[in-house]
Amino acid sequence: MLQKAPRRTRERILELSLRLFNEFGEPNITTTVIAEEMNISPGNLYYHFRNKDDIVNSIFVQFEAEIERILQVPDGRRSNIEDVWLYLHLMFELIWRYRFFYRDLNDLLSRNRKLELHFKLILAHKIKVARQLCEDLRSERSLEASEAEINAMATNMVVVATYWLSYEYVRNPRKYTEQQAMADALARGCYQVLSLVGPYLRGDTRLLFEKLSEEYLKQLK
């Protein structure tokens, strides 16, 4: 049998750094801590990355590639409410996987110009996709809203999703790393974002939304 090639040191550094940043917060982790956890010398670490910002930027490249794959509307047809629900699930799963970017967002952007510029583009892209999903629902007469209301709705959806984990952390910091607690937190986040669309839904789509919401809320009790 063919054996898997061992992961390269660079990949292992990125994987470990992501875990440490997520668990303890990026400002609290230094390159010395990363090197010690890797059981390598600081010199070996600096061979692969110039400094901690270089590590952060490399992780961000991975994050950006993954989020670009998610930020797509259905091809060849209009979106429906189940597409919106799936989109939110995938988005929140990705936010959790790279949660330090969102929890430490203001600190990171204040000192990292690359992240500042690219995160602006990501937020704009998220709003564009959210707006397109709402416009598709309106085209199918499943949603009744003006252009201004859709613009506000799309922005609000992105704002809530972006800062939801920060809200959950403040709400219950002691359980922030507990798997079930955070799974429930992400589920609440999906529901909270989708509830912004709920009042504008009409007909069968409104009924489906109520059914999905009821099932969702039962799971969270």
Side-chain angles (χ1 to χ4, degrees), residues 15-34:
E15 184 179 293
L16 174 68
S17 299
L18 176 59
R19 180 174 65 77
L20 293 173
F21 293 160
N22 280 340
E23 188 170 346
F24 300 105
E26 183 273 344
N28 301 316
I29 298 299
T30 64
T31 51
T32 302
V33 170
I34 296 169

Side-chain angles (χ1 to χ4, degrees), residues 1-17:
M1 291 177 62
L2 290 174
Q3 290 188 337
K4 282 178 78 173
R7 286 171 302 156
R8 294 182 303 157
T9 302
R10 176 184 172 84
E11 293 167 351
R12 290 170 52 232
I13 292 171
L14 291 177
E15 184 179 293
L16 174 68
S17 299

